[in-house]
Amino acid sequence: MGKVASIFYNRSGRYYFSRAIPSDFRYRLTERKFEVSIRTKTESKAAKSAAALSGTLERLWENFLQEASETRRLGPFSRNQYCDLLGQIGTFLSC
């Protein structure tokens, strides 16, 4: 899986994390990017959180690809799988 750009930005005083969903997963999700509020107004905290979220997403996506290659199946995410993914990324995210 190649590098995928991730950013954080300020919108109305709050920072948000945004990362494009790799092409390997686009057909499994309805969104083209993953975007969440970092829930901070501080740029330095946002940068740290964005780096942590980006690393976590990368590991999760690699794990999903590995599981798919072992089971030879990579179908659409079920609602439960999507909720599990959000739960693994952080407790402030909800399904």
Side-chain angles (χ1 to χ4, degrees):
M1 189 163 32
K3 289 233 175 214
V4 178
S6 64
I7 61 165
F8 67 99
Y9 62 90
N10 187 317
R11 180 175 25 168
S12 302
R14 286 242 185 240
Y15 281 92
Y16 289 78
F17 168 81
S18 179
R19 181 163 177 182
I21 294 174
S23 58
D24 296 339
F25 293 99
R26 286 202 183 127
Y27 75 94
R28 299 186 78 193
L29 299 167
T30 56
E31 297 84 14
R32 295 188 59 78
K33 65 182 175 178
F34 181 83
E35 189 169 79
V36 294
S37 170
I38 299 175
R39 297 194 180 181
T40 186
K41 294 182 178 184
T42 309
E43 185 175 3
S44 60
K45 288 180 183 178
K48 288 178 186 177
S49 293
L53 281 169
S54 186
T56 300
L57 278 174
E58 189 67 30
R59 286 188 302 277
L60 287 171
W61 285 332
E62 287 174 5
N63 288 342
F64 279 126
L65 284 177
Q66 185 176 359
E67 281 181 26
S69 69
E70 290 170 0
T71 62
R72 301 184 194 281
R73 179 172 84 72
L74 189 62
F77 280 124
S78 69
R79 177 81 174 154
N80 288 341
Q81 287 174 313
Y82 188 69
C83 291
D84 288 345
L85 173 66
L86 292 179
Q88 290 179 45
I89 294 168
T91 57
F92 62 90
L93 304 175
S94 61
C95 184

